[in-house]
């Protein structure tokens, strides 16, 4: 098979599995097999860049970096819709339609109005060629690389009987679950939170590095098919085709015979829409027949054949009972309003976010106030105003605390920042516990069997004051503690032991440098390779790295200037954590260790453990995680695990030193 055929087969295969997975929720092959296919394709594409197909699934993982997006003129202007806010306005619209169609029968299609970013995606001969933002309606930005990362968007469709050029339009969005996950991570690294899913989606589509976009799990609901020539007679027909061609169509649409049906659709979705995976702010009513659409035409701004109905913003009023101040891992103080429980948009609301001190001042909040709460695009409701007619003189004004509610350290507020911080990083209990929680999370050291409660008990008992203490925990420390049986103790210890194999990029994320999230950590490890060179990097060197800006660079420099942080990293190094980046591609050095297996234990003079692993693999050997009869060598450095040595002796496995190992390489 020639490379072109190989690329073709792999592309089609992977696109098929992708479609099955994302659109039909079926995984026909394992993640491992899938990654393998993708790697094979990427390797071929790297070798033969001219043969990369426009519908290659490698575009899904991104990689293209745009300095500036090119401006593109829309083939058909992207208009907006007229808005209505009540039944009467809709009835008026229906009357205009009736008049315009001069007595003809007509049908409407009702859809939900998705709250995201309007996008236009162009296809040529069934293959995706461009993704464009709405822009000013006439010209938009070419964000093709980012659009291609949307997993539910087909990169190629079967186009028999279709015009050579067509276009699909719809709403790009971040599912609520992805939005929450992003904000959780942002909070974790001390980044300002994204205001709502729509802003988050629009910011994501405009990111320069499409590989970062790919991680954000954008989605796209298609609601329109467009071409120069007539392809379908009705909108309904086009929706059916779009669905069968693999586009993501929200199944919420319905055909309505008259405006009464439309009003019933509106009522049906008023509450139910809150169970959808994205925010919606209304419905869109469209004439079904394309001929009739043509007859009705457009005004300067919007079509006469469609209109939007906006649901009223969900709001309720209730009593503000108190304000709590939460202290985050990075010391940021978040005020949270405790409310008298009230029903709002299908849930009972007891708490609302107030963001920061400015917001308390802006709203002039007093305890006991009757406040309005609203669920806008956000998931957590927010206070939007105060009913001053219910204010009593006895209601106490709220003063933002001057000291930390947890450790009484005076709070600080950096210039230009809205948030207050507790600077007592190393002594403030929620900050200490938060750092440990951050450290053990799945994306960081992935230490299983330790949860918030365990951290709390260990902290109370004085066993854990820093993540580094995890590596000095002993069985005896936990024995006798309530709720800690031999099995759970073993699980905890083995989870900690296993974390020593976690790659450097995750370790760097785990240590919790402010603004260094998982993605930034990966960029840094790829660039600097070792913690030592990252530590030595100057501000100027740091900002040379793509995606590393002023704020992150400053934060890294400041982190390593603090001696306590350097000591913390030293203790993690001693514990055997990975502080060297191992490139996935192994450069073969020789075959001196061909067929030999090794277990590495302890600390070495010339190598870090991960460097040793690379060395072994580069010379044809293999590294195993546990001592067994099949093992050839236990490579034991200083402070090698006594249990491993004992086991190796018992099983007759050779125990070798670092010197022995070096000798093997030159033998
Ligand atoms: S149809 C000619 N259908 O609402 C305009 N728009 O002002 C045709 N939107 O930003 C638009 N859901 O992105 C249509 N089901 C839907 C929609 C929808 C959301 C957005 C659209 C645009 C705005 C219209």
């Amino acid at each position: 098979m020639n490379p072109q055929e190989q690329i073709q087969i792999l592309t089609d295969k992977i696109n098929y599995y992708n479609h099955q997975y994302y659109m039909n929720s079926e995984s026909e092959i394992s993640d491992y097999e899938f990654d393998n296919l993708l790697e094979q394709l990427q390797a071929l594409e790297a070798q033969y860049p001219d043969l990369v197909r426009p519908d290659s699934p490698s575009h899904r993982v991104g990689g293209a970096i745009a300095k500036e997006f090119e401006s593109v003129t829309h083939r058909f202007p992207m208009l907006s819709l007229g808005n209505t806010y009540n039944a009467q306005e809709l009835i008026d619209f229906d009357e205009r339609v009736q008049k315009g169609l001069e007595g003809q029968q007509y049908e409407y299609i009702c859809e939900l109005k998705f709250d995201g970013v309007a996008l236009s995606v162009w296809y040529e001969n069934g293959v995706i060629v461009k993704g464009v933002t709405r822009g000013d309606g006439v010209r938009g930005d070419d964000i093709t690389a980012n659009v291609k990362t949307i997993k539910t968007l087909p990169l190629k469709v079967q186009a028999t009987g279709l015009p050579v050029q067509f276009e699909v339009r719809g709403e790009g969005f971040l599912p609520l679950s992805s939005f929450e996950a992003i904000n959780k991570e942002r909070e974790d690294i001390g980044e300002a939170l994204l205001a709502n899913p729509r802003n988050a989606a629009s910011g994501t589509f405009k990111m320069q590095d499409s590989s970062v976009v790919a991680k954000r799990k954008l989605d796209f609901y298609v609601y329109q098919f467009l071409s120069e020539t007539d392809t379908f007679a009705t909108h309904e027909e086009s929706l059916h085709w779009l669905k069968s061609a693999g586009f993501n169509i929200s199944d919420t649409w319905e055909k309505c015979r008259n405006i009464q049906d439309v009003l019933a659709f509106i009522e049906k979705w008023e509450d139910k829409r809150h169970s959808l995976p994205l925010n919606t702010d209304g419905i869109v009513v469209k004439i079904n027949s394309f001929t009739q659409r043509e007859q009705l035409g457009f005004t300067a701004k919007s079509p006469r054949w469609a209109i939007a109905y906006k649901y009223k913003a969900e709001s309720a009023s209730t009593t503000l009972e108190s304000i709590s101040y939460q202290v985050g891992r990075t010391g940021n103080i978040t005020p949270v309003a405790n409310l008298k429980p009230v029903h709002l948009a299908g849930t009972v609301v007891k708490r609302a976010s107030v963001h920061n001190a400015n917001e308390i001042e802006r709203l002039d909040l007093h305890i006991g106030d009757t406040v309005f709460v609203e669920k806008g695009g956000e998931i957590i409701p927010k206070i939007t105003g105060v009913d001053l007619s219910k204010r009593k003189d006895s209601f106490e004004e709220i003063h933002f605390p001057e000291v930390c509610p947890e450790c009484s350290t005076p709070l600080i507020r950096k210039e230009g920042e809205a948030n207050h911080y507790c600077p007592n990083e190393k002594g403030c209990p929620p900050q200490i516990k938060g750092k440990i929680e951050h450290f053990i999370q799945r994306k960081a050291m992935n230490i299983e069997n330790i949860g918030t409660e365990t951290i709390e008990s260990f902290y109370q008992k004085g066993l854990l004051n820093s993540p580094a203490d995890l590596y000095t925990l002993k069985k005896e420390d936990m024995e006798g503690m309530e709720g800690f049986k031999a099995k759970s103790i073993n699980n905890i210890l083995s989870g900690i032991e296993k974390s020593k194999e976690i790659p450097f990029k995750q370790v760097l994320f785990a240590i919790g440098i402010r603004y260094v999230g998982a993605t930034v950590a990966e960029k840094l490890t790829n660039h600097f390779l070792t913690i030592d060179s990252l530590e030595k990097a100057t501000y100027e060197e740091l900002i040379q790295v793509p995606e590393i800006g002023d704020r992150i660079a400053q934060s890294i420099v400041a982190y390593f200037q603090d001696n306590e942080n350097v000591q913390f990293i030293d203790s993690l190094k001693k514990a055997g954590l990975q502080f060297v980046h191992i490139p996935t591609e192994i450069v073969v050095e020789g075959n001196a260790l061909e067929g030999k297996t090794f277990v590495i234990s302890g600390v070495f003079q010339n190598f870090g453990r991960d460097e040793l692993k690379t060395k072994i693999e580069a010379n044809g050997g293999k590294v195993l995680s546990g001592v067994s009869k099949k093992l050839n060598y236990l490579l034991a450095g200083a402070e090698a695990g006594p249990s491993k040595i004992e086991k190796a002796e018992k099983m007759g496995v050779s125990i070798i030193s670092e010197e022995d190992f070096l000798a093997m390489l030159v033998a």
Side-chain angles (χ1 to χ4, degrees):
M1 219 188 305
N2 65 35
Q4 188 163 13
E5 284 166 335
Q6 271 178 296
I7 286 182
Q8 166 135 1
I9 289 173
L10 281 166
T11 302
D12 288 342
K13 231 188 204 173
I14 299 168
N15 281 343
Y16 167 78
Y17 290 131
N18 242 330
H19 180 78
Q20 288 299 85
Y21 185 79
Y22 287 101
M23 299 297 288
N24 300 334
S25 306
E26 291 197 17
S27 12
E28 294 187 11
I29 54 169
S30 68
D31 289 359
Y32 176 76
E33 286 169 299
F34 183 89
D35 290 346
N36 237 333
L37 291 176
L38 191 60
E39 269 169 35
Q40 278 178 43
L41 177 65
Q42 283 172 321
L44 278 165
E45 288 183 341
Q47 221 177 332
Y48 306 100
D50 292 346
L51 300 179
V52 177
R53 288 201 351 197
D55 61 333
S56 165
S58 57
H59 295 136
R60 300 254 195 239
V61 288
I65 303 205
K67 280 259 165 314
E68 222 169 84
F69 298 111
E70 225 170 277
S71 179
V72 179
T73 306
H74 288 292
R75 285 197 276 225
F76 313 90
M78 280 185 92
L79 301 177
S80 58
L81 293 170
N83 285 325
T84 58
Y85 298 90
N86 57 48
Q88 189 53 50
E89 287 175 359
L90 271 179
I91 294 169
D92 294 347
F93 162 75
D94 184 49
E95 272 170 13
R96 291 196 298 274
V97 168
Q98 231 173 65
K99 245 192 222 149
L101 294 177
E102 296 169 334
Q104 297 172 48
Q105 292 281 340
Y106 56 91
E107 293 164 338
Y108 289 120
I109 299 290
C110 279
E111 292 166 10
L112 279 151
K113 189 167 185 296
F114 310 113
D115 196 11
V117 184
L119 296 177
S120 180
V121 185
W122 303 9
Y123 286 79
E124 253 169 49
N125 297 310
V127 175
I128 189 168
V129 289
K130 247 187 214 332
V132 189
T133 62
R134 180 174 184 277
D136 62 6
V138 177
R139 295 173 72 82
D141 286 341
D142 181 341
I143 52 161
T144 310
N146 291 348
V147 167
K148 280 187 177 176
T149 67
I150 302 172
K151 302 282 198 302
T152 63
L153 181 66
L155 300 172
K156 185 182 171 206
V157 291
Q158 213 53 36
T160 28
L162 286 180
V164 173
Q165 290 185 328
F166 70 84
E167 181 169 333
V168 298
R169 288 185 179 172
E171 204 77 356
F173 64 94
L174 255 181
L176 295 174
S177 53
S178 316
F179 170 72
E180 281 176 67
I182 293 170
N183 259 354
K184 200 159 170 279
E185 184 182 333
R186 288 177 78 93
E187 187 175 16
D188 188 24
I189 61 166
E191 285 258 27
L193 300 191
L194 301 173
N196 56 50
R198 184 182 357 100
N199 286 4
S202 117
T204 307
F205 277 115
K206 291 289 190 69
M207 282 179 146
Q208 292 181 331
D209 183 346
S210 57
S211 65
V212 179
V213 178
K215 294 199 172 120
R216 286 229 175 153
K217 303 197 175 89
L218 289 162
D219 208 338
F220 183 54
Y221 274 154
V222 175
Y223 54 63
Q224 198 174 14
F225 177 96
L226 273 171
S227 62
E228 289 284 353
T229 52
D230 295 339
T231 313
F232 303 104
T234 61
H235 183 51
E236 181 184 16
E237 233 178 74
S238 72
L239 289 178
H240 284 305
W241 178 80
L242 284 163
K243 179 138 178 120
S244 69
F247 289 96
N248 199 11
I249 305 290
S250 167
D251 286 329
T252 46
W253 68 273
E254 256 175 60
K255 186 155 76 179
C256 295
R257 282 165 303 136
N258 51 45
I259 203 71
Q260 297 313 322
D261 278 5
V262 172
L263 294 174
F265 181 89
I266 290 176
E267 205 184 310
K268 170 174 160 184
W269 283 101
E270 170 120 40
D271 279 341
K272 213 172 135 187
R273 67 198 172 99
H274 297 296
S275 56
L276 295 171
L278 80 169
N279 281 332
T280 52
D281 59 349
I283 65 145
V284 181
V285 191
K286 306 171 175 177
I287 283 286
N288 193 14
S289 148
F290 287 135
T291 324
Q292 290 180 338
R293 285 190 183 186
E294 240 170 81
Q295 282 170 13
L296 289 164
F298 298 85
T299 68
K301 278 194 297 193
S302 47
R304 289 202 184 86
W305 46 262
I307 203 148
Y309 170 87
K310 293 278 204 87
Y311 286 113
K312 280 186 200 64
E314 308 273 349
S315 104
S317 69
T318 185
T319 313
L320 171 63
E321 292 184 329
S322 64
I323 298 257
S324 315
Y325 298 89
Q326 292 176 345
V327 186
R329 168 178 79 84
T330 47
N332 57 313
I333 312 287
T334 317
V336 176
N338 300 307
L339 307 168
K340 189 162 166 229
V342 60
H343 281 276
L344 177 63
T347 53
V348 176
V349 173
K350 291 183 210 142
R351 289 146 78 77
S353 52
V354 204
H355 300 306
N356 52 47
N358 292 349
E359 192 70 358
I360 294 181
E361 234 168 77
R362 187 182 72 80
L363 292 163
D364 180 30
L365 290 179
H366 287 52
I367 301 294
D369 270 345
T370 297
V371 292
F372 299 109
V373 277
E374 223 170 77
K375 261 192 185 173
E378 298 79 25
I379 296 144
I380 306 160
K382 66 174 179 202
I383 296 185
T384 53
V386 177
D387 185 347
L388 286 176
S389 69
K390 303 227 168 100
R391 163 83 49 87
K392 296 209 176 100
D393 288 346
S394 57
F395 290 176
E396 226 175 280
E397 209 178 311
I398 294 167
H399 294 288
F400 205 87
E402 284 177 1
V403 298
C404 173
E406 299 279 347
C407 70
S408 304
T409 305
L411 298 180
I412 51 166
R413 194 183 205 181
K414 288 194 194 129
E415 216 178 285
E417 285 192 18
N419 286 344
H420 285 78
Y421 289 94
C422 165
N424 184 16
E425 245 186 273
K426 294 180 178 114
C428 178
Q431 294 193 59
I432 295 172
K433 288 180 273 184
K435 281 188 178 70
I436 300 169
E437 272 178 41
H438 167 82
F439 187 84
I440 64 168
Q441 65 174 295
R442 195 177 50 79
K443 278 203 288 187
M445 302 308 288
N446 193 18
I447 302 180
E448 290 168 359
N449 306 307
I450 299 184
T452 316
E453 279 171 31
T454 310
I455 293 175
E456 181 66 45
S457 344
F458 287 4
Y459 173 75
Q460 292 300 344
K461 198 146 187 260
L463 292 174
L464 277 186
N465 270 306
S466 135
D469 294 341
L470 286 163
Y471 297 96
T472 52
L473 268 183
K474 285 184 219 56
K475 218 177 184 171
E476 303 82 77
D477 295 333
M478 293 175 265
E479 273 165 353
M481 275 178 75
E482 210 184 305
F484 290 90
K485 304 227 167 66
K487 192 162 171 226
S488 58
I489 294 176
N490 270 338
N491 286 342
I492 289 174
L493 289 173
S494 72
I496 294 172
E497 193 56 33
K498 233 170 75 191
S499 75
K500 295 181 183 169
E501 322 236 312
I502 291 288
F504 178 33
K505 62 177 182 192
Q506 279 173 252
V507 178
L508 183 60
F509 170 56
I511 63 175
I513 304 174
R514 191 147 189 230
Y515 304 134
V516 176
T519 311
V520 168
E522 189 171 351
K523 300 229 178 247
L524 290 168
T525 48
N526 283 337
H527 187 91
F528 291 100
L529 305 178
T530 68
I531 193 89
D532 296 338
S533 45
L534 178 64
E535 186 179 336
K536 283 190 212 111
T538 60
Y539 171 85
E540 285 72 24
E541 284 163 347
L542 283 161
I543 52 168
Q544 293 306 312
V545 184
E547 298 285 324
I548 308 299
D550 172 67
R551 216 176 36 140
I552 300 175
Q554 275 188 24
S555 166
I556 295 169
V557 171
Y559 183 87
F560 288 109
Q561 273 166 359
D562 184 335
N563 204 27
E564 279 190 48
N565 291 334
V566 176
Q567 278 172 13
F568 166 59
I569 286 173
D570 270 348
S571 53
L572 295 181
K573 273 186 188 163
K574 283 209 184 86
L577 270 56
Q578 311 288 322
F579 281 104
V580 176
H581 173 65
I582 306 175
T584 30
E585 218 174 289
I586 291 162
V587 183
V588 178
E589 290 176 5
N591 61 358
L593 309 179
E594 191 77 68
K596 302 272 190 287
T597 55
F598 296 80
V599 163
I600 308 168
S601 180
V603 185
F604 300 86
Q605 289 206 317
N606 299 297
F607 304 97
R609 284 155 71 108
D610 26 17
E611 284 176 305
L612 261 180
K613 187 165 181 264
T614 316
K615 198 86 190 152
I616 292 170
E617 284 167 351
N619 287 281
K622 226 173 145 185
V623 177
L624 307 180
S625 54
V627 177
S628 72
K629 266 198 187 130
K630 278 188 277 172
L631 178 72
N632 298 118
Y633 302 103
L634 172 65
L635 176 47
E639 298 165 46
S643 62
K644 282 204 176 111
I645 293 184
E646 201 181 311
K647 207 165 167 191
E649 276 170 350
K650 234 192 219 158
M651 295 184 164
V653 172
S654 312
I655 302 171
I656 57 167
S657 68
E658 190 173 2
E659 271 165 56
D660 300 336
F661 173 73
L662 288 172
M664 281 168 85
L665 287 178
V666 291

